[in-house]
Amino acid sequence: MGLTTSLFDEGPPPPCPARFNMAGYVLGAAVRTPEKDALLVLGPDGALLERWSYQALADAVLGTAAGLRERGLRRGDRVLLRLGNVSDFPILFFGTVAAGGIAVPTSSQLTAAEFARIAEDTGARFVAADPTLETPDGVAERLGPADWSTLLDTAPEPAADTDADDPAFLIYTSGTGGRPKGVLHAHRSAWARRMMWEGWYGLGPTDVMLHAGAFNWTYTLGAGLTDPWAAGATTLIATGGPAADAWPRLSARYRPTLFAAVPGVYRQMLRNEAGLAGAFAALRHGLTAGERMPEALAETWTAATGKPVYEALGMSEVSTYISSSPAVPRRTSRAGRPQAGRRIAVLEEAGTVAPIGTPGQLAVSKRDPGLMLGYWRQPDATEAAFAGEWFLTGDRVAMDPDGYVEHLGRTDEVMTSLGYRVSPAEVEMALADHPAVSEIAVAELPVRADLSLIAAFVVPNGDWPGETALASHADARLAPYKQPKLWIAVDRLPRTANGKLLRRALVEAHRRDR
């Protein structure tokens, strides 16, 4: 390729129709292949619990949309989802989008207080909640399982005639200031994902996708549902939070051609390599995203299964846009290459495009149809995320002459846990009120070459309270993926002359002293 500056541009993305509804687009296979399997719902033991054809799925989604309208949903109203990995989740999600509303998926791992803050921020019209999950009263009109069933049985109506730039869904992600930010996406974001079909998956209608993620996550919503259905492929859902050893059993029985997970799931499966090659015999390749996959882990997976694994780099604001694929081979220490149709640059501090090989901040052009509309009700944060034509990702990278990108960390202090981005400030705010905590700082601490954990550095208010008490305090206030896994007592927290907390200095001091 021979790039001389860190600017990758292989032409414009495929143009999205001006009138475009994300749900209507995703359900297009109901017209092409109405009787084909769209969705199989599996138990952790491998039992087939539900089978949905494309026609049945479309009827359920469009019936739910009609039912929501009858219940009073208006264009732009928000519907919060607080559910696990069950078929009701995608039906309610796409039903809301089909009705012209804004779907707001949330993690079932959130505490009631965390969920209430999101509900208040959205001003939601409805909340569809699993009755086994604690959900505060009064946040919105509640839709329980009986309501979902009634909605689903409503006579289907066509998807709303929406503009491609109309809002479709809202994803909450950690902000550097400790306040979760709602990332608002347009209907066109689903169309933009077509750049991933060749740029990452090699996706086609004959594929069977098994995804190990939770539905609320953009990785799963996109790679596990939106893309396979838009392509006319089949998706496998595993309910009940399967353990790592369940995935080979499910694969052996249902023979997926694509398997998607975070690196940690691959690592856990490889603890018992016996039988992996047979279990994944139908697989063309694996997919991974959410956090960096170490080279040794990718090599071990390929040696154990005979199958490659392709990595993607992305974020909630624009999904995955840099990747390896069957057409773009993995390269050591590289996250991949920008997908065809993307305009990507590495910017120096002055905002100019960096020379090849020079580290800088990764930026995505505003022209990208997959880019968010903005941060929900945070105009200042939205403005700060852009500079000229560029959206600033906060990722520090370097680009080589072939366009491959090496990820060098974050320009901010956002951490990665189980593929989720977690704000240290949010965790600190949740834990600082423990009576035995005088001060607290949270940071990502490398514990070996291929693994980092969230660590809490605590200045005790008197005697050390013990890890059990601190962990219990965290469990009551934070989703499991946000909770520190290490608790470290320190005498003081390092700060600048202006009082700014130096989290990286804490990590460096701890590693130096060990």
Side-chain angles (χ1 to χ4, degrees):
M1 182 171 288
L3 296 175
T4 57
T5 61
S6 300
L7 174 63
F8 183 101
D9 188 349
E10 283 197 342
C16 180
R19 305 303 297 176
F20 182 80
N21 183 280
M22 175 180 177
Y25 160 73
V26 166
L27 297 171
V31 176
R32 303 190 301 270
T33 54
E35 301 307 315
K36 182 177 179 179
D37 285 339
L39 173 65
L40 302 183
V41 181
L42 316 175
D45 60 354
L48 177 60
L49 305 180
E50 300 175 44
R51 182 189 295 272
W52 292 79
S53 70
Y54 268 101
Q55 187 62 62
L57 179 67
D59 288 345
V61 168
L62 296 177
T64 296
L68 286 169
R69 292 190 197 105
E70 289 182 4
R71 291 285 292 261
L73 184 77
R74 301 182 303 273
R75 289 282 186 100
D77 281 350
R78 277 74 65 200
V79 178
L80 269 75
L81 306 181
R82 183 162 167 75
L83 307 169
N85 271 31
V86 293
S87 59
D88 298 299
F89 194 115
I91 290 169
L92 285 161
F93 177 89
F94 286 108
T96 299
V97 174
I102 300 174
V104 189
T106 65
S107 173
S108 60
Q109 298 182 61
L110 294 179
T111 65
E114 289 175 305
F115 177 78
R117 286 193 290 272
I118 290 175
E120 181 181 7
D121 190 52
T122 61
R125 175 70 175 81
F126 296 107
V127 54
D130 186 317
T132 65
L133 297 174
E134 184 183 359
T135 306
D137 292 326
V139 297
E141 183 177 338
R142 190 181 299 242
L143 300 174
D147 299 292
W148 312 341
S149 179
T150 301
L151 293 172
L152 188 146
D153 290 337
T154 307
E157 296 178 358
D161 180 23
T162 49
D163 189 271
D165 286 323
D166 286 343
F169 65 98
L170 183 59
I171 293 280
Y172 275 81
T173 186
S174 285
T176 55
R179 175 187 173 189
K181 292 189 293 189
V183 179
L184 185 63
H185 276 287
H187 288 267
R188 57 173 160 74
S189 65
W191 179 270
R193 299 186 60 87
R194 297 170 74 93
M195 291 182 279
M196 302 176 205
W197 293 11
E198 288 302 320
W200 185 20
Y201 314 141
L203 180 66
T206 60
D207 277 313
V208 177
M209 169 68 80
L210 176 62
H211 202 299
F215 281 153
N216 67 283
W217 192 17
T218 51
Y219 181 14
T220 316
L221 279 170
L225 296 173
T226 301
D227 293 335
W229 287 347
T234 299
T235 284
L236 307 176
I237 290 174
T239 65
D245 61 0
W247 302 113
R249 292 198 304 271
L250 294 174
S251 179
R253 183 166 177 179
Y254 294 98
R255 300 179 62 79
T257 58
L258 298 171
F259 174 69
V262 294
V265 171
Y266 288 94
R267 185 183 295 111
Q268 291 165 3
M269 288 193 297
L270 285 166
R271 290 173 182 166
N272 182 12
E273 297 182 23
L276 283 183
F280 288 96
L283 198 72
R284 290 207 319 279
H285 51 261
L287 304 167
T288 185
E291 58 189 79
R292 185 80 177 95
M293 174 173 267
E295 293 299 324
L297 179 59
E299 291 168 1
T300 303
W301 164 263
T302 299
T305 63
K307 311 293 183 179
V309 59
Y310 298 116
E311 184 171 6
L313 174 66
M315 59 194 307
S316 298
E317 289 86 342
V318 69
S319 197
T320 55
Y321 51 95
I322 288 175
S323 52
S324 54
S325 72
V328 179
R330 285 182 63 92
R331 185 170 291 187
T332 301
S333 78
R334 303 294 192 265
R337 196 173 69 187
Q339 297 152 1
R342 309 285 189 183
R343 179 173 167 84
I344 305 293
V346 181
L347 303 181
E348 298 181 293
E349 286 190 19
T352 55
V353 176
I356 280 295
T358 301
Q361 183 168 186
L362 186 61
V364 180
S365 173
K366 285 182 181 178
R367 81 172 192 185
D368 196 302
L371 191 60
M372 66 172 183
L373 291 167
Y375 294 115
W376 178 257
R377 293 178 174 171
Q378 295 193 45
D380 291 345
T382 301
E383 183 178 0
F386 290 89
E389 90 158 280
W390 302 106
F391 167 72
L392 307 176
T393 67
D395 286 309
R396 191 167 178 272
V397 302
M399 185 180 289
D400 70 18
D402 294 326
Y404 279 83
V405 171
E406 180 180 8
H407 193 263
L408 303 173
R410 294 283 297 172
T411 59
D412 53 32
E413 294 176 316
V414 171
M415 306 174 294
T416 300
S417 173
L418 301 177
Y420 292 94
R421 284 186 170 166
V422 179
S423 164
E426 181 185 0
V427 180
E428 291 160 1
M429 289 165 61
L431 303 180
D433 63 349
H434 190 287
V437 172
S438 174
E439 290 186 285
I440 186 169
V442 173
E444 199 170 11
L445 181 65
V447 294
R448 62 173 191 254
D450 63 346
L451 181 64
S452 295
L453 299 175
I454 294 178
F457 297 86
V458 178
V459 178
N461 184 18
D463 294 334
W464 175 245
E467 292 186 9
T468 301
L470 293 169
S472 177
H473 189 74
D475 188 54
R477 290 161 175 78
L478 295 166
Y481 62 87
K482 299 179 185 178
Q483 297 172 22
K485 301 299 184 288
L486 301 171
W487 301 88
I488 302 165
V490 293
D491 295 330
R492 63 181 185 84
L493 300 182
R495 298 183 182 275
T496 67
N498 294 325
K500 178 179 171 61
L501 180 63
L502 295 171
R503 295 186 182 89
R504 290 177 184 168
L506 269 173
V507 172
E508 292 167 2
H510 178 76
R511 298 182 72 184
R512 187 172 57 247
D513 294 343
R514 291 188 66 186

